Amino acid sequence: MNLPELSAMGTAGTSGLAMCGGILTVDLDALAANYRLCRAAAPGAEVASIVKADAYGLGLAPVARALHAAGCRTFFIAEPEEGAALRRILPDAPIYVLNGLFPDAASFYRAHGLRPCLSSLDEIGDWAREAALCGSVLPAALHFDTGINRLGLSDAQAARLVAEPERLRGIGVTLLMSHLACADEAGHPLNERQLARFRTWRAAFPSAPASLANSAGLFLGSDYHFDLVRPGIGVYGGNPFSGRENPFRPVVRVEARLLQLRDAADGETAGYGASWTARGPRRLAILSAGYGDGYARALGSASGGGRVFIAGHYAPVAGRVSMDMLTVDVTGLPEGLVARGDLVEIMGPHVTLDELGLRAGTVGYEILTGLGTRYRRLYTGAGYAEKGAQAI
Ligand SMILES: *Cc1c(COP(=O)(O)O)cnc(C)c1O
């Protein structure tokens, strides 16, 4: 998109586009298609959605509404405040809190209809007390640790729970869950060990539905599907696997504005630390996005470096990434192809989320959740389609 196109959009919803340094576009149709791909990959299982961390940085409200419209009925967030926000968006959906039941917070969970993923006997005790206080049965998930050693009942605690079932009085166990540590590596031996351990605890609570798989776990085979699967990153377009092609469609495009074109003579340096030197005359483009917008400083040219997609060509980052700007080398691009004000793809169909993660020495998850708040956000597709791109 360039500026004339943007101003042609001209609706109240898109006003201010000329004032923003960058635009983050979320394709809600691609999101829904990725959700449906999960359904096709796990026939017979319910496909829930993970919308923690502001829906992986993409915006809780539009994402949750689009997933609900695509047929998703059960949602997971990490923290109770996120759950309360989601409750305002989806008044009736079951909402599970992955990080468990916080101390002294049970009444908050109950008031917002949140289901804690109970991870310890202490949490179970707190939730049972809340149930006794209010005199009703309160729903919750039981979270078993089967090998990740993060959250979840240990084998000893789970055995104690089986021996002392009165601990669950007042708790309606609506889900049994565990989380895989190495699902992205299909051949990792921990996967089968976790599966076996999860089956053991499932046998102890045969009446409750069970859930083990995240996005990558979905592709480990139907043994891992149980009754409900919990994909996150795949639905947002990230590749859940290491070293395997991404079956999901890109959802996010990030464009940064071209602030200035300039010429650097042979031997001149660019950016902080003078870490980049022009070899021969070079043409540079300064873009309005930096590490303050989640464009990782690790993408600077000294450490391998990122690249952007500009007017149909790739251009490498030149020098260090600053807080609000990055510089790319556009030498050799045909004259007149790029101009001040253009929007340049720094992430999207040509520069994938996973490429950025790899080049920055991290993962797509961290890139997405770090995108920052300065981008103008546009949502396309789904219910937004008839209005064109809708700014939120
Ligand atoms: C974040 C999370 C998921 C989703 O994982 P993805 O790899 O993004 O699919 C599923 N389950 C639990 C417990 C999580 O914390």
Side-chain angles (χ1 to χ4, degrees):
M1 267 189 301
N2 57 33
L3 270 177
E5 280 174 59
L6 288 175
S7 47
M9 290 159 83
T11 64
T14 52
S15 67
L17 283 180
M19 261 63 72
C20 64
I23 296 179
L24 191 163
T25 308
V26 179
D27 180 348
L28 296 174
D29 283 343
L31 184 89
N34 290 338
Y35 175 79
R36 288 192 297 270
L37 178 64
C38 295
R39 279 199 164 168
E46 178 182 353
V47 179
S49 290
I50 310 276
V51 291
K52 62 195 180 191
D54 199 31
Y56 286 46
L58 300 189
L60 180 64
V63 165
R65 285 200 188 100
L67 289 169
H68 190 264
C72 181
R73 290 296 170 264
T74 302
F75 292 81
F76 291 77
I77 43 75
E79 301 196 353
E81 294 279 10
E82 295 180 308
L86 182 56
R87 178 56 71 214
R88 290 191 284 279
I89 299 159
L90 298 174
D92 303 317
I95 299 172
Y96 288 95
V97 182
L98 287 168
N99 285 10
L101 181 58
F102 289 14
D104 305 316
S107 62
F108 183 91
Y109 286 61
R110 181 167 59 81
H112 296 280
L114 307 178
R115 304 179 177 189
C117 298
L118 300 169
S119 252
S120 69
L121 294 178
D122 284 345
E123 290 183 19
I124 289 170
D126 284 356
W127 200 233
R129 253 186 309 283
E130 185 68 17
L133 265 175
C134 70
S136 59
V137 174
L138 295 179
L142 289 182
H143 186 174
F144 299 92
D145 173 49
T146 53
I148 194 171
N149 251 320
R150 197 173 66 176
L151 285 181
L153 294 155
S154 65
D155 282 354
Q157 287 186 315
R160 195 144 161 221
L161 191 61
V162 173
E164 300 166 5
E166 66 279 3
R167 285 176 179 273
L168 287 170
R169 192 170 299 141
I171 299 178
V173 178
T174 49
L175 191 69
L176 309 174
M177 64 168 283
S178 188
H179 191 46
L180 296 165
C182 305
D184 58 324
E185 293 175 59
H188 200 290
L190 190 51
N191 292 328
E192 281 187 21
R193 286 212 301 276
Q194 289 198 258
L195 177 63
R197 248 164 114 179
F198 188 55
R199 282 192 169 132
T200 304
W201 295 121
R202 188 182 179 226
F205 299 91
S207 59
S211 173
L212 180 62
N214 60 353
S215 303
L218 253 163
F219 295 88
L220 290 175
S222 56
D223 281 357
Y224 288 80
H225 294 165
F226 294 95
D227 305 294
L228 179 144
V229 293
R230 311 187 305 268
I233 193 71
V235 175
Y236 301 107
N239 190 351
F241 313 111
S242 18
R244 215 172 117 183
E245 208 180 318
N246 189 359
F248 294 101
R249 268 170 62 177
V251 170
V252 188
R253 189 170 76 238
V254 182
E255 294 154 294
R257 193 174 302 286
L258 199 163
L259 299 172
Q260 195 169 87
L261 286 162
R262 51 191 310 129
D263 295 305
D266 181 40
E268 284 184 1
T269 67
Y272 285 126
S275 69
W276 178 93
T277 305
R279 303 282 171 231
R282 311 300 293 180
R283 190 144 174 80
L284 301 177
I286 319 298
L287 309 182
S288 182
Y291 61 77
D293 307 288
Y295 195 88
R297 196 168 172 280
L299 292 166
S301 57
S303 42
R307 56 179 188 168
V308 305
F309 194 71
I310 178 166
H313 300 264
Y314 285 103
V317 172
R320 290 190 188 157
V321 174
S322 334
M323 186 186 295
D324 318 300
M325 281 175 272
L326 70 114
T327 301
V328 295
D329 185 343
V330 294
T331 313
L333 255 66
E335 196 57 42
L337 209 56
V338 290
R340 171 174 170 243
D342 282 358
L343 288 164
V344 175
E345 178 187 320
I346 60 174
M347 185 204 299
H350 304 96
V351 184
T352 66
L353 173 60
D354 298 290
E355 168 180 326
L356 281 173
L358 200 67
R359 287 177 183 247
T362 178
V363 287
Y365 299 78
E366 190 177 357
I367 299 286
L368 272 189
T369 54
L371 280 173
T373 55
R374 281 197 291 198
Y375 295 114
R376 184 77 171 168
R377 287 170 177 242
L378 300 179
Y379 294 87
T380 61
Y384 298 84
E386 70 277 10
K387 294 180 212 130
Q390 168 87 42
I392 288 189

